[in-house]
Each structure stands twice: as C-alpha cells, then as structure tokens.
Amino acid sequence: MNHDARGIPVSSGSADAIARYETAIGQLQSYVGDPIATIDGALAESPDFVAGHLMKALTLATLAERQYAPAIAQSIAAAREHGARANGRELGMLQAACQLADGDWHAACRSLDAVLADNPRDALALQVAHLMDFYRGDALNLRNRVARVLPHWSRDVPGYSYVLGMHAFGLEEMNQYPEAEETARAALAIEPKDGWAVHAATHVMEMQGRIGEGIDWLVSRERDWAPDNGFAFHNFWHLALFHLDGADHTKALDLYDRAVHPVPAQMLLTLVDATALLWRLALDGADVGPRFGEVADEWEAKLDGEGGYYAFNDLHAALAFAATGRDGATTRLLHAVARAAEGGGTNAAMEREVGLPLVRAIAAYGRGRFDEAADLIAPVRDIAHRFGGSHAQRDVLSLTLIDAARRAGRASLAKHVLSERLVAKPGGAWGRRILARIDATPAAPH
C-alpha cells in the first residue's frame, strides 16, 4: 500500500496522482494555488484514486455553500464506485463527506476525529475538521482537536507550520492571547508565508486593541501573506478594521476597493467580509457610496440558492438588504431562514437559536425599529458563537446592538454593552468615538 508524505495510507492511485495529491494538500494548507484543479488533474491520471475523490468532496464542503452540493455528491459517488479496496482511513473520510453532504456537520467532525485518532498526521482530516469547527463555532475544538494530534507532528513532518498556525487560531478563539501569539510566531519562523498563522496573530492584536501594532504587523509582512494567496482578502479585511478604528475611512475604503472586494465575489466568504466592512464603516458614519448597492445585488442574486443554507451567511445578506432598504429581499430571506429553522441538521439549529432572531433584528434595524432590533440582538449576542465566525467577526453584533440602543434613546444599554470594548481595548479610538456619539444623542421621550 502506498502512503502520502506524512505516512498516511493510500489505497489506490498512481505515483503521479499521489504526487499531485501532495501538491493539493500544500495548496489547501497555504491557500496558494487551486487544490481542486490540482486534484482534478490527479483524478484524470487515476480515476480510481479514492483519496482524491474524497479530498475534492471534503474541500468543496469547507466552502459552506449550497452551490457546490452537486459536485460534492458526484465526488462521493465516484469514491463509492472505486471504493472496493478503500482502507479504513478512507472509509472514515467517506463517512465524514456523506455527513457533511447531509448537513450533519457535528457528526462529520466526530467522524474526522475518529480518523485522526488512528492517523494523527492526516493533514486533510485535520484541515477540514478545523474549518468545520470554525463554521460550527466550536472554539474548544479549534484548539483541542489540533492539540490532540500535535505530539505526532514536528519540524520534520511536511506541513508542521500550518498545524501550529491552526493551533494558534484555536488558542486565540479560546482567549489565550499570549499563547496564541507565541504559537503563531513559531509557525511563521518555520514558514513566513503562512497566511493563517499571520491571521491568528492578527486576531490577537485585534482582540487586545493593539491597533498601530496590528497595522505594522500586516503591512511589514504583506509580501509574505498577500501575493497569490486566496486567503489574503481576509487579512486585508483585518487591516481595514485597524484603519477603521483610527477613523481612517479613506484607507479602509481603499483596501475594500483594492483587496477585499475588487470584483464581484466568487465565494460567499469574500462577500461576507465585504458586507461586514461596509456595515462597520456605515455605523461609524462613513460615506460608502454605491458599494453597498453592489454587494446587495450580489446577495440578492444568490438568495434563492443560498438563503437558509448557512446562518452566518444569512446574517450578512440581511445586513446588505437592510443597508439598502430592500424590503422585498429581506422578506424573501426571512422566509428562507424560517424554513431552514424548521428542518434538520446542524444549520437548522443554528438558524433557530441564532440566525433567525438576528435576521429579524437586522430587518427591524433597517426599517428604523431600533428598539425592537436591540431587544432581539441582546439575548442572542452571548450565544452567537453557535453559528460560527470568530470573536472579531461577531463583534458586528455588539456594534449593531450599541447603535440600535443609541438610536432608540437607550443610552444606558448602549453604554453598558460598550463598556466591554472600552475595557478590552483601552487603546482603541473607535470605542471612544462611539461613547461620544451616545452622549450626543438625545434621550428617548418618556
């Protein structure tokens, strides 16, 4: 039986196909290159390459978009067709792929962890599980799943830096900021171009309000993490947030135009960041011009296919529609989310607990019902990790709650929530601007 570069058994596939698989693994870990195109080349070489079919299915699943469901199903069918000689690891990966396709993300992560118990150096199982932990809001396993396999990795094992980068992000999401930054820097000492490790340290600086240092960190390393990197848009999003904190709307919008959303989004991951940045800028009083209309057009074009598929995406569609006064699109989105909440699977629970109340809240905000918006966000904000995203991404909920309370004349609530930011980020200027805005807003009539 053949093995990959980390000693993971591979049941079938030519030497050339396995070599391409290795290239695809590196592309998936580094976000440089196209792992799907590479694995398609491997499958053209060896149509019976079960590991290749599974990699394609699992990688597409990590994009969390309904549009990829047919291709995922096709890859699963091909793996089954050629799976008579599949080994135990591949059968476990097949089970995980089927569970992801069925919408049971929690079960899929348990299946991937079972694979990792026997194959702790399985780079694909670890990468996919890490991303699905992120989508599921499972901060504990963002850290612990990596920790469970970490003793089996070392500098001598290909891809070790990326494992450290994943661990660093898990540590950050568990609020272990010094350990996260130390681990991220250890990863970058091995592979300076590891954009995920750069990202993990950036999150630490964001959460600690180290604004100037965060700008210097990203700008000084841009030649490493930005060129030809499919994840660069998100690190540029972070850089724009640092500039936004300092009220430099011009630089934030320049980054938006140049690097976050320079062309219509090919993936919802990029559309989420574009929407989130514009919403924050608007909350801070920036003139974003026609940009929100363009983003809302993109969300509306995808609404029939993607609405109700993943709650975190639905929130951002709601933001775009609220910002542009699209009541019709908002109503369609609400119906899609409500239908999804009545179903089964992981996302249904996300929608019931977090997605639906937040979409209703943003709809109320967009319609000027700020009191209602504040009342809908407040009880959900502290459990919002259940629909995924990072601390930094979910900060949009706190910012929106504060602004809704301010507009509703509920200064005490607005200041109560803002206090978290003022304590956590004493060096940040945005919190002080928000406080001044609250103080300048007339109280609601009694």
Side-chain angles (χ1 to χ4, degrees):
M1 182 176 289
N2 291 319
H3 295 80
D4 73 6
R6 289 154 297 281
I8 304 302
V10 180
S11 67
S12 57
S14 68
D16 181 66
I18 294 172
R20 291 175 190 247
Y21 177 86
E22 283 298 328
T23 299
I25 289 288
Q27 291 171 327
L28 182 63
Q29 292 176 314
S30 66
Y31 298 91
V32 176
D34 185 346
I36 297 298
T38 301
I39 209 65
D40 278 342
L43 293 170
E45 163 69 24
S46 291
D48 66 341
F49 186 26
V50 173
H53 290 295
L54 292 170
M55 181 180 186
K56 184 172 182 178
L58 291 164
T59 300
L60 289 173
T62 64
L63 298 176
E65 295 188 39
R66 185 181 276 124
Q67 67 166 311
Y68 298 111
I72 293 168
Q74 185 177 32
S75 294
I76 289 172
R80 283 175 167 155
E81 178 185 353
H82 299 291
R85 293 187 294 114
N87 59 40
R89 177 261 177 186
E90 291 162 348
L91 291 174
M93 298 291 271
L94 176 59
Q95 177 173 283
C98 292
Q99 290 162 333
L100 288 174
D102 289 341
D104 194 343
W105 296 359
H106 298 321
C109 285
R110 291 192 294 271
S111 295
L112 290 167
D113 207 58
V115 170
L116 288 167
D118 292 329
N119 303 274
R121 292 183 179 179
D122 190 327
L124 177 61
L126 183 61
Q127 184 85 13
V128 172
H130 188 67
L131 292 172
M132 297 312 300
D133 287 338
F134 173 71
Y135 291 136
R136 297 182 310 118
D138 188 352
L140 183 67
N141 273 308
L142 278 173
R143 181 192 67 185
N144 288 2
R145 195 182 308 282
V146 184
R148 289 195 286 274
V149 303
L150 197 54
H152 300 273
W153 290 75
S154 69
R155 293 180 70 111
D156 299 327
V157 180
Y160 175 56
S161 72
Y162 301 114
V163 176
L164 289 178
M166 285 187 277
H167 194 218
F169 184 58
L171 289 164
E172 182 276 326
E173 287 298 296
M174 288 297 290
N175 306 316
Q176 294 178 246
Y177 299 137
E179 298 94 331
E181 185 170 349
E182 180 182 0
T183 303
R185 290 181 183 274
L188 292 165
I190 299 169
E191 176 47 80
K193 296 183 182 297
D194 183 349
W196 191 259
V198 168
H199 160 255
T202 300
H203 269 265
V204 172
M205 296 172 193
E206 166 70 24
M207 297 312 297
Q208 294 182 327
R210 294 154 58 189
I211 306 304
E213 191 176 349
I215 292 172
D216 291 344
W217 169 258
L218 287 171
V219 171
S220 67
R221 292 177 171 270
E222 184 175 331
R223 291 182 182 177
D224 286 331
W225 58 259
D228 303 316
N229 192 302
F231 190 66
F233 73 91
H234 187 67
N235 281 331
F236 277 120
W237 178 80
H238 278 284
L239 181 57
L241 290 190
F242 287 135
H243 286 300
L244 171 55
D245 190 282
D248 195 337
H249 298 162
T250 299
K251 282 187 179 177
L253 285 168
D254 175 68
L255 285 164
Y256 175 93
D257 293 334
R258 176 170 59 87
V260 176
H261 192 248
V263 297
Q266 299 302 305
M267 300 184 300
L268 291 186
L269 290 168
T270 57
L271 194 55
V272 162
D273 276 2
T275 307
L277 178 55
L278 291 180
W279 184 265
R280 286 168 169 82
L281 281 161
L283 288 179
D284 200 41
D287 179 1
V288 301
R291 296 175 182 86
F292 239 138
E294 295 162 359
V295 165
D297 285 344
E298 293 178 50
W299 279 116
E300 195 162 0
K302 296 175 182 293
L303 183 53
D304 288 339
E306 299 297 339
Y309 185 72
Y310 177 35
F312 191 76
N313 291 345
D314 293 332
L315 166 68
H316 289 80
L319 293 174
F321 299 151
T324 53
R326 301 195 184 196
D327 277 352
T330 296
T331 299
R332 288 168 56 206
L333 176 64
L334 280 165
H335 288 325
V337 171
R339 285 194 302 271
E342 294 172 355
T346 302
N347 185 62
M350 291 178 174
E351 298 283 23
R352 285 192 297 271
E353 297 172 7
V354 181
L356 183 56
L358 288 179
V359 171
R360 286 172 173 161
I362 299 306
Y365 183 101
R367 291 162 179 164
R369 301 200 301 265
F370 301 115
D371 213 32
E372 179 184 348
D375 285 341
L376 285 166
I377 296 172
V380 177
R381 187 177 67 102
D382 288 342
I383 62 166
H385 65 276
R386 296 178 187 175
F387 82 155
S390 65
H391 295 311
Q393 288 175 306
R394 293 190 302 270
D395 186 39
V396 74
L397 302 178
S398 298
L399 292 166
T400 306
L401 171 57
I402 293 165
D403 196 67
R406 177 187 69 83
R407 290 173 180 270
R410 297 165 67 179
S412 59
L413 174 59
K415 289 182 178 181
H416 185 62
V417 178
L418 179 62
S419 293
E420 295 175 0
R421 186 181 217 88
L422 297 174
V423 170
K425 303 180 180 184
W430 197 4
R432 296 193 297 274
R433 288 200 305 280
I434 294 171
L435 181 60
R437 192 171 294 127
I438 295 168
D439 287 336
T441 301
H446 294 288

